[in-house]
Amino acid sequence: MSLLKVPLLRNMLIYASFVSMVILVLQPIMTTYISSLSDNIDNIIFISGFVFSLGGFASVISAPLWGHFGQHHGFFISMILSLGLAGACTILQALPSDLYLSTASQFAVGLFANMALIFLLMPYWQKIQIHTQKAVFGD
């Protein structure tokens, strides 16, 4: 049985694709922004790729922590807290006037805005369904 025939997994793949597209819209202008923050820097394309990838790296680190927090304190509290902190960090990204603070703020946004939010937004019955063998492998 193809995993794309399972509606829950297919929908999660679609949602993850849209989230990735929205995030990647910023990548082309990241090099211009980083060059405006620093004077003459060698390997500007490498540095901008590194800064851009820090959000994803932080997301990978924080996803299990947010999942653990959600299991102990409730997924709604986890969702509200992570979205609020991600919003605050996103607003703070407009303030840095040097490369290091901008890099740190990119990492901070990644800590709070991660792909685990897709799972947090799903209805409870779908969370149960995805963990069952029937949802993935059929009968």
Side-chain angles (χ1 to χ4, degrees):
M1 177 178 196
S2 173
L3 292 177
L4 292 177
K5 291 182 181 178
V6 178
L8 175 64
L9 296 177
R10 183 183 59 239
N11 290 344
M12 286 184 64
L13 179 64
I14 291 169
Y15 298 153
S17 298
F18 281 126
V19 168
S20 295
M21 283 190 287
V22 167
I23 291 171
L24 290 175
V25 165
L26 295 177
Q27 190 173 12
I29 61 171
M30 185 64 84
T31 304
T32 306
Y33 176 66
I34 288 177
S35 66
S36 72
L37 290 177
S38 60
D39 293 331
N40 293 329
I41 190 168
D42 293 334
N43 298 327
I44 188 73
I45 295 173
F46 173 76
I47 298 296
S48 66
F50 177 75
V51 170
F52 188 77
S53 67
L54 279 178
F57 183 69
S59 180
V60 168
I61 292 171
S62 68
L65 300 174
W66 278 112
H68 183 71
F69 181 85
Q71 288 176 348
H72 284 63
H73 301 287
F75 289 110
F76 184 74
I77 300 289
S78 177
M79 179 183 66
I80 296 298
L81 189 61
S82 65
L83 287 175
L85 290 170
C89 288
T90 302
I91 291 170
L92 291 176
Q93 275 189 318
L95 300 178
S97 59
D98 91 343
L99 181 60
Y100 298 111
L101 289 176
S102 177
T103 303
S105 66
Q106 178 74 12
F107 187 81
V109 168
L111 288 175
F112 303 116
N114 54 41
M115 297 299 285
L117 291 175
I118 294 171
F119 187 74
L120 293 173
L121 294 172
M122 290 186 332
Y124 182 75
W125 65 271
Q126 287 182 335
K127 290 178 190 176
I128 299 300
Q129 182 183 7
I130 199 168
H131 289 294
T132 63
Q133 184 176 6
K134 184 176 181 182
V136 178
F137 299 108
D139 292 353

